Every structure is written in structure tokens, then in C-alpha cells.
Amino acid sequence: MTAEETTPQHPADATVRDAGASAVPYGLRVAAAVSWRLLVVAAALTVLGFVAVRLASVLVPVAVALLLAGLFSPAVSWLAGRRVPRGLATAIVLIVGIALAGAVVTFVVITVTVGMPELIDQVTVSLTELHTWLRTGPLHLSQGQLDSMLGNLTAMLDRNKSAIASGALTTAVTVGELLAEALLAVFCLIFFLAQGNTIWAFIMRGVPARLRDRVDVAGRSGFTTLAHYIRGTAAVAFVDAAGIGLGLVIIGVPLAAPLSTLVFLGAFVPVIGSVLAGGIAVLVALVANGVWAAVIVLAVVVGVMQVESHVLQPLLLGRAVRLHPLAVVLALAIGLVTAGVVGALLAVPLLAVFSSGVRSLAARPENPSAGRQASGTPPAEPAADDGHVRPS
């Protein structure tokens, strides 16, 4: 120790420090204390965001596998409850799910192959009518002006050949990466369904003992919300696709089946997914069937969206998710800006899980077993034998 360290501080020094602190307004001191803490939190979030971006090719398949686990876990549990071994039940559900997905993809491909010539013929007729309208309509464009416009379009495509080629190459690489990530998601899904509770119990070992019960209850509640969200969203997406698809078939719009499939997939992106998919259906109807058909399709899309917003979502998702519409829109916007389509797909489920976990921690009773019963989940010890994905 130095002499300075062993020498007691003079009382005058403390007086000076107290006088200096009292000279700073109380509000400024509070703002400074809050500000540096906010800076620390922001720095931590920045590091987490950087790590998440670097590991996106791993984290995204794991997140998708969790979503699918919430969708498929009831079927696996139903089979396991009828004395089917957990591993065999998982294999049956996955084989049936992959077979259904393959059947839908095959049906869509066949429909596109069969209906594309008709669509091309109708588009050709529509372009001819557009050409005639540009010449004889209010614009009264001459043939020379139309040829000039067509020449400019062709020249623009010629100038961007290299960019188009590089974009195609990038697309091929992206497809390869997507296939690898899809395989990783399926691999994770198998273990989430077959040994999910064992994995959750292993994770709980890393939580301090005094917090383990609270984290366990919050995790179970979060996964329950996630499962309800994905199942409810799937039901809403099916109704949207069926309603819009039926309208397209009645009106006679070509490629009704692929457009319905697009609506189904788009419904998993809240707020904007179904709207964009419905807009594509309206555009196809406009090109292929004319203005009045497009207006009718637009009315069908708007009607289905109204039924979804005012009936289906409150009935199927309202009690389970309990998110304010503003929170959904903001989460969707943040996810879309930061991570594109993948961010828009995962932002709302992540927010729902986080909100459910926070509510569970805030409302958790003192007795951990009472918390599990309130959340509708069995205690960890008996549940560990069934291998079910927990929290659930």
C-alpha cells in the first residue's frame, strides 16, 4: 500500500464532493444515470444483434424448427398417448407432413404447367388490346412512339444482361443455401419432437437453482403461446386460401391453385402477407380476365381479409397471443427492416413468446407447482419421460 492509500481522506474533501453533487440538478443526475445504463444495454443488444446476424444461417433454421414443433407436437403427443413409441410417432408425423407438402408442391407445379399456356395466350390478347388502346384511346400514341418505347425497353434489358446473369447465379447459390438450411431445420425438428423435454431439462441445468422454477414456468408459457400462435395462424391461412381460391375458381382466373397456395404461405406473415398475395391474384385477374374480373377478385380479397381480421384472428389467436395491434405492426416493421422476409416471419412469434414469458413471470404464484398447473403444463419430472417438446 502507498502512503496515499493509507492516509484517511480529509472531511473537507467529502464536503467538496457533496457540494459539487448538490450543484448538479437532480433531474440531470437521474438522466445521466439512466443514460449510461441505456448505453450499456444498447451495447449489449448491438453485440447480440451482430452475433445473430453472423449466425443467421443456424439460428433461422432452429427458429423455423421450433415453429414447426409447435404445429406438429399435438399429433405426436396424440400418437404417443396411444402407446406409440415417441420416436415412431415423430417419424410418422414427419413422413405424413413431408408427403402432404410434396403432394401440394406437385399439384401446384402440374397446375402451373397446364395453366401457363392459357395464361400466356390471355396475356398476349391483353397486350394486343393495350396496344390498340394506346393508339386509339385518349393518348393517341403513334406507331413510331410505341416502337420507340419498345426499343428503349429492349435496350435497357440488353444493358443489364450481366446484372441479370449474376442475379441468376446468386439465386442458384441462394437455393443451395436454402436447401442446406431446410435440412438443418428438419434435423432439429426431429429432435425437438422426439426429445424436446429432455433438451429443455438439460437447458434448465444451466439456470441458477433459485431462478430455475421461474424460468421453467416462463419457458413453458412461452412455448404454449408459440404453439397456439402457429396453429391459429395455420388455420387462418387455410381459410384465407380456401376463400380466395374459391373466388378465383368461380370467376375463372387461371392458376387459381398456385395463387391460393401463395395466399396460404403469405398469411404466415402478419398484416402484409395476405394483402400482397391477394394483390398478385388481383393483378393476374386484371391481365388475364379484364378489369371487372379484377374488381370482383379485389372485393373477394377484401371480404376474406375482413373475416380474418374481425372473426378468425380474435377467435383463434386473441386469447393465446394477446398482442396489441400496434405492437404487431411495429414488430413486423422492425423485423422487415432488419432481416427482410425472414424477420417479418419471425418477429411476431418472438414478440408473442417474450410477452407471454414476461406475463408469466409477473403473475407467477409463489408455489412453483401451482404455476405449472396454472399454465396448463405438467411438472418437469413426470413430463421428462415422454420426450415431448417443452415448454408446452
Side-chain angles (χ1 to χ4, degrees), residues 24 29 38 70 99 113 151 198 207 230 248 270 288 298 317 324 332 342-343 351 353 377 379 389:
V24 180
R29 280 182 283 165
L38 288 178
T113 303
T198 304
V207 179
I230 191 64
L248 295 176
L298 178 60
L317 296 175
H324 193 277
L332 183 66
V342 175
L351 178 63
V353 170
T377 56
V389 177

Side-chain angles (χ1 to χ4, degrees), residues 75-92 386:
V76 176
S77 298
W78 184 83
L79 290 174
R82 280 150 182 80
R83 300 183 182 278
V84 178
R86 190 81 188 182
L88 180 59
T90 299
I92 292 173
D386 62 1

Side-chain angles (χ1 to χ4, degrees), residues 107-126:
F107 176 72
V108 169
V109 170
I110 293 176
T111 305
V112 170
T113 303
V114 173
M116 189 59 70
E118 178 185 358
L119 179 62
I120 292 175
D121 293 339
Q122 292 177 338
V123 169
T124 302
V125 173
S126 299

Side-chain angles (χ1 to χ4, degrees), residues 260-306:
S260 300
T261 305
L262 183 62
V263 171
F264 177 81
L265 296 176
F268 284 90
V269 179
V271 182
I272 63 173
S274 297
V275 175
L276 292 178
I280 294 175
V282 173
L283 181 61
V284 172
L286 175 64
V287 174
N289 297 78
V291 176
W292 289 112
V295 172
I296 296 174
V297 172
L298 178 60
V300 171
V301 171
V302 172
V304 171
M305 294 299 104
Q306 291 299 312

Side-chain angles (χ1 to χ4, degrees), residues 46 155 174 177 190 235 245 270 335 376 392:
T46 301
T174 303
E177 294 176 352
I190 293 173
S392 171

